[in-house]
Every structure is written in C-alpha cells, then in structure tokens.
C-alpha cells in the first residue's frame, strides 16, 4: 500500500506522538529501547529522533554502560524547556493566568479576581492583555509558545470552541471564547471544562499511574467531577459526563442551584452550601462555638475550616449540617462506585485538607459497601496545586497528540 498526503502526515504524527509520550512518561531512553517500546523499527526511530533533535524537542543524554566493545548507546530525553504553553483558567470569582513547560512545571501563575456574571467580552480582553504583560515580565518568547489552553467552569461545546453555560462565571451563553482569544493573542487555542482540565493535569503528572479508570471529584465553590476510561477522559454524548454535583437529591423545596434547577447535590454538600447554611444559623444561642470563633467578625468572613472546627467542638446544629452534607455526598459517590466500578476515586479541593471532614467522609464511604466494591479513595497528591498548570497542559497534551507538529 502506498501512503501519501494526509495519510503520511497522520502516520508521522502518530509515530512522533508515541515517542514524545514515552519520553515524557519514562524519562531518558536509548533509541533501541524507544524502538522496542513503540514497536517501530530502529531505522524509523532513528529518523524520528533525528528530526526532533534538530527541532530542539529532544536532546541526547548520557552514554549507557556497555557490556562489550563498540560504540555505547546514548540516551535521548525530552527537552522540556524547548516549548511552553499559556493557560487561562476561569472559575467562579477568579481567573488564573499561567504558563507551563512541556513537563508541566510552572513558569508563572497569577490569580485575578472576577465578579460573578462578569461581561464575557470585557473579561477576555482584560485576560489577554494581562497574559501579554506576564509574558513580557517573565521573558517568555512568543515563538516558543505552542498555544493557549482555556479551562472554564460549566458546559462547553463538543468541538471545544464555545462556552455553552458557565453557570455564573460569565454573563453569557454560547460565547465563542476560543475565537476571541485567538483573535486577541494570535495563538491557537484548545478548551475544556475546568474540572476535566484539572483531572487531565492530574493524569499528566501521575506518570507512574497506569489505572485504566478513575473518578476525579473536585469540591471548591461547587461540586464537579470527571471520569477516565482506558486512560482517556470520557466526555459523554452531550459533553456533560460526571455532572455529579447536579444530581437532584431533594424532590420538593430544594434550594435553587446555579444550573437552574433546585435541590441538586451541590446545594447540600458543596463548600458554598455548607458555609451558607452555617451563616444562616449563626447566633450566640444556636451556634455558640461558631459565634465564638467569629469573635465579632462579619458572617461573610467565615471559612469552611471555621465551620468544621465548630462542628468538631460542640455546635450540635453545625455538626448536623456537616453530617447531612457528608451523607449526601457519600451516597452519590457510592452510586458512582457501584455503577462505574472505577479503579480509584480521587478527591480534590480544600475541604479534603481538613482532617475532621476527611475522616468523617471516609467513614461514611465505608458504610454499607461490601468488600467487592472497596475502591481505593485518596486525596490527590497534587491537591490545591493543579490550577497553576492545568489550562496550559491542555495545549501540551494537544502538542504531544500531534507529535509536536502544530
């Protein structure tokens, strides 16, 4: 069979992609080992490696020990500083602008406050302008930038170009955010939901973790999740897979949710819901421990750790509030375990740094679960750090997928 045109380019991208990913995952390797691992011929690997060395993507390392006479093999490794990617992560009330090298290490990261329901166009213009300033400040040359990754709260279009609904982050629906950033920055863009981007960053950094299926749960303002199958994130038929926070759990009289429904899990079990509930009942009579923790502060200054401390130290009503939240979240997660049977459940978010809350949640997760469904549950080893690189790593993943040929 004769391959030509797009077919040949597709094969080239696939082969280069396999080599780049192996070098990322395993570090330096000999050409021989690289050929064996990719199942390509030594001649093909020699050519691929030669091309990538000339492009600066790969560099030669140290000679390997030789068992006999002749020229010793020399390792090759990914030159992670050869290229970088920019990132914009848009959450409710904040944006994080960043840049990351090909290995995920952070060049810069800056958090900017955002008002809820901020104007989409004005926000994109502001963020693009600040990115340019940060590039100049940190001496990031534009010709080294492979593109811009965008991670945003809410629902994105199947082609990853349009924000369908950001659930209160931006004041618009069906906003062509990739088109606007590309016009303003001159960079190619890729986009994903923010929780999927964090999960993708978790998998990118966990190079030693070859589990075929994981469920990633994030609790910050709300509750979000993502699912991987065979090492790839599963998006679902309508790009809404794993919207666990919006499972309706209260049939009548539930609180309004940011998604437009009422009675969702997020309205009971999220950090925001717990804080709102605690603030609503705050008084010296009903919540004396929490009242004392406040010491005259405005209720809006309460933190989630304040609430957990009050629950742990004798505020019965606060303890009931937290218990209700934990029970609801655990029930949803048990449904995930029994339905999907993931290899691991990963917890991400500031709540999981609190020993009181985490201990209570883990105890509740064990209730009623048989040994056949005793799925490992762990706090992310990168908890509270992935926001600094997740958006940019979306573009790095795209770069690796295309074999470094953008």
């Amino acid at each position: 069979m004769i391959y030509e045109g797009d077919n040949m380019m597709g094969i080239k991208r696939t082969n280069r992609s396999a080599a780049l990913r192996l070098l990322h995952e395993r570090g330096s390797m000999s050409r021989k080992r690289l050929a064996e691992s990719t199942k390509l011929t030594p001649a093909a690997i020699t050519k691929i490696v030669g091309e990538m060395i000339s492009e600066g993507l790969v560099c030669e390392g140290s000679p390997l020990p030789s068992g006999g006479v002749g020229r010793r093999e020399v390792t090759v490794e990914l030159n992670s500083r050869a290229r970088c990617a920019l990132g914009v992560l848009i959450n409710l009330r904040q944006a994080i602008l960043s840049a990351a090298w090909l290995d995920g290490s952070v060049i810069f990261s800056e958090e900017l406050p955002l008002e809820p329901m901020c104007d989409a166009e004005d926000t994109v213009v502001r963020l693009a302008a600040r990115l340019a300033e940060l590039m100049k400040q940190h001496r990031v040359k534009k010709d080294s930038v492979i593109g811009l990754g965008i991670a945003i709260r809410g629902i994105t279009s199947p082609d990853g170009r349009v924000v369908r609904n950001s659930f209160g982050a931006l004041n618009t629906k069906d906003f062509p955010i990739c088109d606007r950033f590309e016009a303003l920055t001159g960079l190619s863009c890729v986009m994903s939901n923010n929780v999927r981007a964090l999960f993708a960053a978790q998998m990118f950094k966990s190079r030693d973790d070859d589990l075929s299926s994981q469920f990633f749960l994030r609790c910050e303002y709300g509750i979000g999740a993502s699912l991987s199958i065979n090492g790839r994130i599963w998006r679902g038929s309508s790009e809404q897979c794993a919207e666990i926070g919006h499972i309706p759990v209260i049939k009548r009289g539930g609180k309004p949710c940011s998604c437009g429904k009422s009675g969702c899990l997020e309205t009971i079990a999220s950090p925001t819901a717990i804080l709102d509930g605690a603030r609503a009942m705050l008084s010296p009579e009903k919540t004396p421990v929490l009242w004392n923790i406040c010491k005259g502060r405005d209720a809006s200054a309460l933190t989630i750790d304040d609430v957990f401390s009050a629950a742990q130290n004798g505020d019965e009503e606060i303890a009931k509030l937290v218990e209700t939240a934990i029970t609801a979240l655990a029930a949803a997660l048990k449904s995930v375990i029994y339905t999907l049977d993931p290899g691991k459940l990963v917890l991400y978010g500031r709540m999981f740094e609190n020993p009181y809350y985490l201990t209570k949640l883990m105890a509740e997760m064990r209730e009623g679960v048989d040994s056949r469904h005793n799925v490992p549950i762990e706090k992310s080893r990168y908890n509270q750090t992935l926001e600094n690189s997740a958006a940019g790593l979306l573009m790095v993943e795209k770069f690796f997928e295309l074999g470094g040929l953008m």
Side-chain angles (χ1 to χ4, degrees):
M1 182 180 293
I2 298 174
Y3 295 98
E4 55 186 34
D6 290 343
N7 253 349
M8 284 299 293
M9 180 54 74
I11 292 169
K12 183 175 183 178
R13 289 186 193 278
T14 299
N15 292 343
R16 285 172 56 113
S17 176
L20 283 173
R21 288 189 184 280
L22 271 171
L23 292 174
H24 163 67
E25 292 168 3
R26 301 186 189 178
S28 61
M29 301 175 70
S30 68
R31 289 169 175 80
K32 179 180 178 182
R33 184 65 186 277
L34 198 54
E36 292 170 349
S37 299
T38 58
K39 296 182 170 55
L40 295 172
T41 66
I45 281 295
T46 296
K47 183 178 180 181
I48 288 170
V49 168
E51 288 177 351
M52 292 196 294
I53 287 176
S54 69
E55 296 162 12
L57 286 177
V58 167
C59 56
E60 290 193 326
S62 306
L64 293 171
S66 175
V69 297
R71 185 175 182 270
R72 290 191 295 171
E73 285 189 88
V74 178
T75 61
V76 292
E77 58 191 42
L78 179 67
N79 181 9
S80 61
R81 299 298 191 269
R83 306 283 192 280
C84 66
L86 302 183
V88 174
L89 174 64
I90 299 176
N91 290 321
L92 188 66
R93 301 175 187 167
Q94 66 166 200
I96 298 174
L97 305 180
S98 62
W101 296 115
L102 295 181
D103 61 358
S105 56
V106 177
I107 303 169
F108 65 74
S109 177
E110 180 177 277
E111 181 178 322
L112 296 176
L114 297 178
E115 292 295 325
M117 294 295 287
C118 56
D119 183 83
E121 179 64 22
D122 289 349
T123 300
V124 168
V125 170
R126 174 190 170 200
L127 296 180
R130 183 56 185 156
L131 265 179
E133 292 171 355
L134 288 169
M135 286 176 65
K136 184 176 181 180
Q137 180 181 331
H138 292 272
R139 299 180 181 179
V140 175
K141 296 180 180 178
K142 191 167 183 178
D143 59 6
S144 72
V145 178
I146 58 176
L148 172 65
I150 304 166
I152 187 164
R153 166 185 169 90
I155 300 171
T156 60
S157 61
D159 64 1
R161 305 285 300 175
V162 175
V163 181
R164 294 294 190 211
N165 189 341
S166 64
F167 297 140
L170 303 178
N171 71 340
T172 185
K173 294 183 179 180
D174 297 326
F175 182 70
I177 195 166
C178 284
D179 288 348
R180 294 301 301 127
F181 268 115
E182 286 176 349
L184 290 164
T185 65
L187 296 170
S188 176
C189 293
V190 294
M191 180 179 63
S192 179
N193 163 274
N194 61 342
V195 179
R196 286 193 199 123
L198 291 169
F199 185 29
Q202 164 93 16
M203 292 193 293
F204 182 91
K205 290 176 178 287
S206 303
R207 293 180 290 184
D208 60 334
D209 192 342
D210 59 358
L211 286 173
S212 62
S213 174
Q214 299 181 59
F215 191 85
F216 180 88
L217 178 80
R218 180 189 185 236
C219 289
E220 283 299 335
Y221 293 110
I223 297 175
S226 187
L227 170 71
S228 69
I229 299 176
N230 294 328
R232 297 182 69 86
I233 291 178
W234 183 253
R235 299 177 179 276
S237 60
S238 60
E239 293 288 309
Q240 297 181 71
C241 176
E243 287 281 348
I244 188 173
H246 300 292
I247 296 173
V249 294
I250 297 180
K251 189 173 182 180
R252 294 184 181 87
K255 295 177 182 176
C257 182
S258 61
C259 72
K261 304 196 305 294
S262 61
C264 295
L265 176 67
E266 192 170 284
T267 67
I268 298 171
S270 68
T272 299
I274 295 171
L275 277 167
D276 286 348
R279 287 165 181 153
M281 65 175 69
L282 181 64
S283 71
E285 297 78 26
K286 198 171 186 179
T287 60
V289 178
L290 189 59
W291 183 266
N292 186 55
I293 289 172
C294 280
K295 293 180 180 176
R297 285 184 294 156
D298 186 86
S300 63
L302 274 177
T303 68
I304 196 71
D305 285 322
D306 292 337
V307 176
F308 293 153
S309 179
Q312 186 176 12
N313 290 290
D315 267 353
E316 293 184 7
E317 293 301 316
I318 297 296
K320 288 178 185 177
L321 174 75
V322 174
E323 190 70 32
T324 298
I326 289 173
T327 301
L329 180 60
L333 291 176
K334 289 174 194 178
S335 296
V336 166
I337 289 171
Y338 273 80
T339 303
L340 300 177
D341 190 27
K344 183 192 294 184
L345 201 158
V346 180
L347 307 176
Y348 190 91
R350 74 189 77 180
M351 289 190 4
F352 305 120
E353 294 293 338
N354 186 283
Y356 168 78
Y357 177 85
L358 185 59
T359 300
K360 299 278 283 185
L361 176 64
M362 297 297 277
E364 185 64 31
M365 287 299 300
R366 290 191 291 270
E367 286 292 320
V369 176
D370 59 66
S371 59
R372 293 174 303 161
H373 293 87
N374 190 20
V375 171
I377 304 171
E378 65 181 43
K379 182 179 67 177
S380 168
R381 71 185 82 168
Y382 308 107
N383 199 31
Q384 299 289 276
T385 67
L386 295 176
E387 287 84 355
N388 295 328
S389 60
L393 286 178
L394 292 172
M395 182 54 75
V396 173
E397 280 282 4
K398 185 70 173 179
F399 185 75
F400 282 0
E401 180 185 330
L402 297 177
L405 298 170
M406 299 294 287

